[in-house]
Amino acid sequence: MRPRSSTRHGIRRKFAALSALALGAALAVAVPTTASAAARVDNPYTGAKAYVNPQWSAKAAAEPGGSVIADEPSFVWMDRIAAIEGAGDAMSLREHLDEALDQGANLFQVVIYDLPGRDCAALASNGELGPTELDRYKTEYINPIADILDDPAYANLRIVTIIEPDSLPNLVTNAGGTAGSTTQCATMKENGNYEKGVGYALHTLGAIPNVYNYVDAGHHGWLGWDTNFVPAAEEFKKAATTEGATVADVQGFIVNTANYSALKEPYFKVTDSVNGTTVRQSKWVDWNFYVDELSYAQALRTEMVNQGFASNIGMLIDTARNGWGGSARPTSAGPQTSVDDYVNGGRIDRRIHAGNWCNQKGAGIGERPTTAPESGIDAYVWAKPPGESDGNSQPIANDEGKGFDQMCDPTYTGNGRNGNNLTGALPDSPLAGHWFSAQFQELLHNAYPPLGGSSGGDTQAPTAPTGLTVTGKTSGSVSLSWTASTDNTGVTAYDVYRAGVQVGSSATASFTDTGLTASTSYSYTVKARDAAGNVSAASSAVSATTSDGGGTGTGTLKVQYKNNDSSATDNQIRMGLQLVNTGTTAVNLSTVKVRYWFTPEAGASTFSTACDYAVLGCGTLTENVTASGSPAAGASHYLEVGFGSGTLAAGASTGEMQLRFNKTDWSNFDEADDYSRSTNTAYADASKIGVYVGGTLSWGTAP
């Protein structure tokens, strides 16, 4: 074996041409000093400069057009014991970390992926350890990784780990009793070595102060059904409290790892219906409660808090290959001739079936790595480096423990996990993790947002946003709006900065910043970004001071709201609500009522209400509409939501409640002047929605 020092010097020479490229990769504009990088932070991606893997970067840059994404940060995969010291020409874990220091990065991302009996439902990613080799996993895999990560030389790096993709979700869906079950998964459920291995990894790596553990949580097309959703959360909690681990060892969860599920479905929602038939009944949705990864991730985060994880946990979403652009990308909703036509005509995800996962034809690069893009989301990341194969399309002999999975064969007609459909896989694919040039080219071609910049495309930045204004504030949030920017090809997003550090992004000219401190002044600017990645100059700054309590009085409850209704003039009012206990003692929910004030305008004076989804269960809620005793502007009536029983623990949330109501004659509302309505589409504190405990206003300001 070559001495480590000569290996590093060889790597430096080999990738010298890429050094400037790698040094330019950053997830946010602020680059912390050594001292700030060493401190534990709530979101490791805030203000971080992430490591660019020079070996992946070189392969990407060598592809036609690939230089446009070659400087993007992605995760390094430790997919076998030999990867720790470096197998073949691959860099070792220590060499990657040393290179991160050389780049001036302060964020390093690594996938921990070598459980006993790994990926019991997909042969392409089977591992080297047998189902009972838990001791080898601990002593030959996790312990050596921990020893390296705990080296003081790396103490100023924020090290983000993904803990064991596909393991725990398989125990929920593929370990017996379903069409997709396998004997291998049943074995792993019975012996408990997935849970023990994950727990040991969390406990061992979580003891290192600068390590941030994120547990893999599947994707919406795997765990989004009500029969899977809460059982999966319970399984994650079980693993996180095994082998010495606690929930404090978990920074958050990641969804869509190495998968293709669309980030957002802009043209249909799970609450839509066609000719009286819910979209959940369509063949594609198949009664799932979620149609995209963002809604699934945000709901799962709420459920994990309910399970006892910290209220500030964050979610990651792998967006490396879920862009679904190109000529096949829909531009509007599908026809309303049937619910299947409506969904299939408008869905961004163009897979044959949401269970298809191997080298998907038609997929594209997705959102570039971005910090805090949505409420509850720590970052969009590239967990699976684009161009690395998911598995081989035909049997290939190898010494990596990787089998042949028919889901990677484009001629295979499927199994119970994908509804017995064709796989949608690309032909002629190599072993999992090996470079797949044809896939990389397809991902570039179908990227969304489209690629530009250094590939010879658009280089013109948008104009700076103007008219930045504070439109509302509570004790814990500030709402902003601004005048839209212009661009030669079109603005795709606005990045919002608080005191110079990016705190989120918005596709529209408005944003609500949450999680703030009462009676505190904050300064904001906004920059516009186009599809090619060109960024405008910053807007003029605006300052806002949060209120001193948001009208909460002496109560400890607050309500958060998001607008689920894209039209203010249709025949339904739809919203998402969640109740949060900010106090130190549990609250008896049977004493609590939530009121949303509105005006019905003309038409019927009677109403129908519905609960489409609630983490607590729709059966535990009561909803009715009542005329206000003292009508005020925008508030002649209110929807009152009650809770039949139960308690809300200190620091806990009820989780999402998706509610709607209509007049019995289905005449239209005009919600624009409604007292409680807001336009935010992510959860934010709502001071104009009242919370009553024992009949006394505890949160909010009544009209």
Side-chain angles (χ1 to χ4, degrees):
M1 180 179 291
R2 293 173 295 174
R4 180 169 288 119
S5 59
S6 64
T7 302
R8 283 194 62 208
H9 293 159
I11 290 168
R12 287 174 178 168
R13 288 194 299 271
K14 183 176 181 180
F15 300 111
L18 293 169
S19 61
L21 188 69
L23 288 171
L27 287 175
V29 294
V31 180
T33 64
T34 300
S36 65
R40 190 79 183 178
V41 294
D42 178 57
N43 179 356
Y45 289 88
T46 299
K49 179 180 179 181
Y51 169 62
V52 176
N53 180 348
Q55 294 194 303
W56 174 81
S57 184
K59 293 174 183 175
E63 293 279 348
S67 60
V68 70
I69 63 167
D71 63 344
E72 295 290 355
S74 57
F75 278 75
V76 174
W77 286 63
M78 293 289 107
D79 62 352
R80 49 188 167 138
I81 293 169
I84 301 171
E85 292 300 322
D89 292 332
M91 295 166 64
S92 70
L93 176 58
R94 190 175 291 277
E95 287 166 343
H96 279 296
L97 289 161
D98 289 342
E99 184 69 19
L101 297 179
D102 289 347
Q103 289 181 12
N106 77 313
L107 177 74
F108 182 81
Q109 304 174 105
V110 59
V111 178
I112 306 300
Y113 188 48
D114 201 28
L115 271 180
R118 188 181 75 193
D119 208 342
C120 54
L123 299 177
S125 45
N126 279 169
E128 62 190 346
L129 299 179
T132 62
E133 293 188 286
L134 180 63
D135 287 341
R136 287 192 65 197
Y137 176 76
K138 293 178 177 180
T139 60
E140 297 180 37
Y141 181 70
I142 293 297
N143 289 354
I145 289 175
D147 287 343
I148 294 170
L149 299 186
D150 200 27
D151 189 324
Y154 312 125
N156 292 323
L157 285 173
R158 303 172 188 174
I159 300 174
V160 171
T161 68
I162 295 176
I163 303 297
E164 296 295 351
D166 295 343
S167 58
L168 302 177
N170 271 318
L171 298 185
V172 178
T173 60
N174 298 326
T178 66
S181 296
T182 69
T183 56
Q184 295 93 328
C185 290
T187 296
M188 299 317 300
K189 186 176 182 67
E190 182 178 359
N191 69 24
N193 282 346
Y194 276 5
E195 296 156 344
K196 295 172 187 175
V198 168
Y200 186 80
L202 288 171
H203 173 61
T204 305
L205 301 177
I208 303 171
N210 55 315
V211 168
Y212 298 79
N213 291 320
Y214 290 80
V215 178
D216 182 78
H219 57 90
H220 86 275
W222 190 349
L223 300 177
W225 286 269
D226 53 355
T227 52
N228 298 339
F229 188 79
V230 173
E234 293 170 343
E235 180 63 50
F236 303 153
K237 172 71 174 295
K238 181 180 179 182
T241 51
T242 299
E243 294 286 314
T246 72
V247 294
D249 292 317
V250 178
Q251 179 74 17
F253 296 83
I254 180 169
V255 301
N256 203 47
T257 304
N259 212 274
Y260 300 86
S261 296
L263 177 65
K264 301 176 184 178
E265 286 289 359
Y267 304 124
F268 74 100
K269 301 184 293 295
V270 73
T271 54
D272 288 350
S273 61
V274 176
N275 301 322
T277 302
T278 172
V279 300
R280 293 186 61 220
Q281 196 170 332
S282 68
K283 184 176 181 180
W284 172 259
V285 179
D286 192 25
W287 296 102
N288 202 319
F289 272 113
Y290 304 95
V291 297
D292 55 33
E293 287 306 289
L294 179 59
S295 62
Y296 169 68
Q298 291 174 323
L300 182 63
R301 179 187 178 279
T302 298
E303 177 57 32
M304 297 318 301
V305 172
N306 289 339
Q307 291 288 335
F309 288 82
S311 60
N312 64 336
I313 60 168
M315 303 295 293
L316 304 179
I317 303 178
D318 185 357
T319 59
R321 306 182 302 173
N322 68 349
W324 295 104
S327 60
R329 182 180 177 88
T331 58
S332 62
Q336 298 207 4
T337 47
S338 73
V339 71
D340 284 323
D341 291 343
Y342 176 73
V343 171
N344 289 331
R347 62 182 169 93
I348 297 302
D349 190 335
R350 304 312 296 171
R351 286 178 292 179
I352 298 170
H353 188 275
N356 289 349
W357 54 266
C358 193
N359 301 320
Q360 289 300 284
K361 182 176 178 60
I365 299 292
E367 288 283 348
R368 293 7 145 212
T370 308
T371 299
E374 297 279 354
S375 174
I377 309 300
D378 279 354
Y380 297 152
V381 299
W382 284 8
K384 177 73 169 181
E388 292 188 1
S389 174
D390 295 318
N392 41 300
S393 55
Q394 296 296 324
I396 298 176
N398 67 93
D399 61 357
E400 300 177 28
K402 297 168 183 174
F404 166 57
D405 195 302
Q406 287 185 296
M407 289 299 291
C408 299
D409 178 357
T411 67
Y412 179 53
T413 54
N415 54 40
R417 288 190 293 279
N418 83 329
N420 298 108
N421 288 283
L422 284 168
T423 66
L426 290 167
D428 304 319
S429 57
L431 289 172
H434 289 224
W435 191 254
F436 190 9
S437 177
Q439 184 205 45
F440 185 83
Q441 287 298 317
E442 184 144 341
L443 291 172
L444 289 182
H445 177 74
N446 294 319
Y448 193 89
L451 299 172
S454 58
S455 65
D458 174 29
T459 59
Q460 180 176 324
T463 61
T466 58
L468 180 60
T469 303
V470 176
T471 57
K473 57 187 180 179
T474 69
S475 60
S477 67
V478 171
S479 297
L480 306 166
S481 68
W482 54 89
T483 300
S485 299
T486 59
D487 184 67
N488 61 321
T489 59
V491 173
T492 59
Y494 295 92
D495 297 328
V496 181
Y497 295 82
R498 184 204 312 142
V501 176
Q502 186 179 340
V503 293
S505 298
S506 174
T508 63
S510 63
F511 179 80
T512 298
D513 186 23
T514 60
L516 305 180
T517 302
S519 303
T520 303
S521 180
Y522 296 94
S523 176
Y524 295 92
T525 56
V526 178
K527 296 180 182 180
R529 175 162 43 92
D530 66 16
N534 301 307
V535 179
S536 75
S539 69
S540 298
V542 66
S543 295
T545 300
T546 50
S547 57
D548 60 4
T552 60
T554 59
T556 60
L557 294 177
K558 68 177 181 179
V559 67
Q560 295 178 327
Y561 160 92
K562 71 172 181 177
N563 190 322
N564 287 341
D565 197 345
S566 58
S567 172
T569 56
D570 60 10
N571 57 16
Q572 294 186 83
I573 294 179
R574 295 179 289 184
M575 71 196 73
L577 299 177
Q578 55 188 20
L579 194 64
V580 180
N581 183 356
T582 64
T584 58
T585 59
V587 172
N588 182 355
L589 284 176
S590 66
T591 67
V592 178
K593 303 289 187 184
V594 178
R595 291 184 181 180
Y596 176 96
W597 287 280
F598 70 98
T599 53
E601 287 76 40
S605 59
T606 53
F607 302 83
S608 297
T609 64
C611 170
D612 291 317
Y613 169 72
V615 172
L616 295 177
C618 284
T620 67
L621 305 182
T622 60
E623 315 97 37
N624 60 79
V625 173
T626 303
S628 299
S630 302
S636 62
H637 292 69
Y638 57 84
L639 169 71
E640 185 170 78
V641 182
F643 304 85
S645 61
T647 59
L648 186 60
S653 165
T654 59
E656 184 169 26
M657 299 174 283
Q658 296 180 7
L659 308 171
R660 58 185 167 90
F661 59 92
N662 58 272
K663 289 176 277 189
T664 52
D665 65 355
W666 288 96
S667 59
N668 288 341
F669 294 93
D670 182 359
E671 300 178 56
D673 63 346
D674 286 355
Y675 180 80
S676 294
R677 183 179 188 267
S678 185
T679 59
N680 51 287
T681 56
Y683 277 111
D685 293 353
S687 61
K688 290 189 175 182
I689 298 177
V691 179
Y692 291 79
V693 178
T696 301
L697 182 65
S698 175
W699 160 272
T701 303

